[in-house]
Amino acid sequence: MEQITIENGVENVQQLPAFDDDFGGVMVELEEHMDSDVFRTLLKTSMSQWKLQGKKGVWIKLPIHLSNLVDTAVKEGFVYHHAEPDYLMLLYWIPKTKNPIPANASHIARVGAIVLNNKREMLVVQEKLGPLRGVWKISTGIIHEGEDISEGVVREVKEETGIVTEFVQVLSFSEAHNVFFGKSELFFMCMMRPLSFDIQIQETEIEAAKWMALEEYAASSKEYTSCAREQGLRMHITELIANAERGYSGFSPSKEYDNQSCIYFNKSDLEKKKTINNLKD
């Protein structure tokens, strides 16, 4: 525990271990076991000091082995902000103003893979579970934390079908709301280049996979009138492929400015404009 000095310069008081964040608040991270009564006393003392210091948001990160302290924190006015498998994050907003701190992640990112071979066949799968069970569809999946779109879609195709692919570009993206526990979804449609062709399905999730002729896939879009979203998606995929074959360019990733983030933009058209401008000069 930390020691602090009261204004008279004499009395010392124990306080919860904390460090300042970048926005005028403090972060408490606990690891060692603590009795709930001891925690309550230290929390009250700490909150008094942080209020005097003009702190704003107070965060408490409680690992799962300290779940016994959750009830105490809530009774002192803390609310849940977000949870991960191994911890719960609680928040207290001190100022008598509206809390401006954004909620935890509002969106999930999902990818779909358009994988075409040189026979104009597309890689499709049938899932074992879910509302599209038994429907031939493209490989889709959720992007993992810290994973780039271009990496995640390669992983998803490999996991579901055993096919090794190379990311080409994001052809389009869409958004949908109230998809997963109230969260919205960003769905990125990706063009992929196959580097292998022998299918080995992921038996826990995938019922079957195959290479399907584009004409057959396009014709099948009329069969799924019971699922408007899937029907619309199939029509959109068919249009994207046709446009790509006519020279349509999507978005490719670049880490030129920051290794920790990706910028996706239309490199092809940008290079064409640069070439034209250079010729004019």
Side-chain angles (χ1 to χ4, degrees):
M1 299 304 157
E2 298 177 351
Q3 297 285 330
I4 64 170
T5 302
I6 303 304
E7 292 181 359
N8 59 22
V10 177
E11 185 179 2
N12 287 331
V13 183
Q14 279 193 322
Q15 190 175 359
L16 289 171
F19 57 88
D20 293 343
D21 65 21
D22 295 330
F23 302 96
V26 293
M27 169 70 75
V28 177
E29 290 190 358
L30 301 175
E31 291 295 338
E32 298 180 1
H33 175 75
M34 184 180 298
D35 180 80
S36 58
D37 290 334
V38 173
F39 175 66
R40 180 182 297 105
T41 300
L42 292 172
L43 181 57
K44 286 179 178 291
T45 301
S46 300
M47 290 296 295
S48 296
Q49 293 302 314
W50 293 328
K51 289 176 180 178
L52 289 175
Q53 294 168 6
K55 298 299 182 183
K56 299 183 187 233
V58 178
W59 301 89
I60 298 180
K61 182 179 180 181
L62 289 179
I64 196 167
H65 65 271
L66 293 180
S67 60
N68 62 302
L69 305 181
V70 174
D71 182 61
T72 300
V74 170
K75 287 180 177 177
E76 292 301 319
F78 282 77
V79 296
Y80 297 170
H81 185 265
H82 66 272
E84 295 293 339
D86 58 348
Y87 75 85
L88 173 67
M89 187 71 77
L90 299 110
L91 170 66
Y92 187 106
W93 182 249
I94 293 178
K96 302 300 182 182
T97 59
K98 182 179 179 180
N99 179 1
I101 296 176
N104 194 32
S106 59
H107 288 67
I108 58 174
R110 195 163 67 96
V111 289
I114 300 176
V115 187
L116 294 173
N117 63 20
N118 56 12
K119 299 177 182 178
R120 297 191 84 249
E121 295 173 329
M122 186 163 64
L123 183 64
V124 292
V125 300
Q126 286 185 344
E127 297 177 339
K128 283 189 173 182
L129 301 172
L132 295 178
R133 179 182 178 184
V135 173
W136 288 111
K137 58 183 285 294
I138 62 171
S139 182
T140 60
I142 301 294
I143 295 296
H144 292 172
E145 183 176 350
E147 187 176 49
D148 293 338
I149 293 169
S150 56
E151 298 170 344
V153 67
V154 169
R155 173 189 51 76
E156 280 291 342
V157 174
K158 181 68 165 60
E159 287 178 354
E160 292 189 354
T161 68
I163 298 295
V164 178
T165 58
E166 178 185 16
F167 175 85
V168 179
Q169 57 189 345
V170 172
L171 288 177
S172 68
F173 72 91
S174 62
E175 62 180 349
H177 303 295
N178 198 28
V179 174
F180 185 74
F181 291 103
K183 303 297 184 184
S184 298
E185 175 192 271
L186 294 175
F187 181 67
F188 297 89
M189 188 71 69
C190 304
M191 179 65 81
M192 314 294 290
R193 182 179 296 113
L195 302 179
S196 67
F197 302 93
D198 294 331
I199 294 173
Q200 295 180 344
I201 66 170
Q202 181 188 46
E203 295 184 354
T204 55
E205 297 182 10
I206 302 300
E207 185 68 36
K210 69 176 182 178
W211 294 99
M212 176 183 285
L214 274 181
E215 293 77 12
E216 181 183 351
Y217 180 84
S220 68
S221 65
K222 301 176 182 179
E223 300 175 7
Y224 302 111
T225 55
S226 60
C227 182
R229 187 180 183 190
E230 176 62 19
Q231 185 182 35
L233 182 62
R234 298 171 84 87
M235 295 175 65
H236 180 60
I237 290 172
T238 303
E239 292 173 358
L240 281 175
I241 293 172
N243 288 330
E245 291 176 338
R246 291 193 293 265
Y248 168 80
S249 295
F251 301 91
S252 302
S254 172
K255 290 191 176 182
E256 181 179 350
Y257 307 106
D258 181 2
N259 288 330
Q260 299 300 314
S261 60
C262 264
I263 298 175
Y264 286 79
F265 61 96
N266 189 322
K267 290 184 180 180
S268 177
D269 285 0
L270 189 61
E271 291 299 323
K272 289 178 183 177
K273 289 181 180 179
K274 285 182 179 179
T275 301
I276 293 172
N277 290 334
N278 290 335
L279 291 174
K280 289 180 178 179
D281 295 339

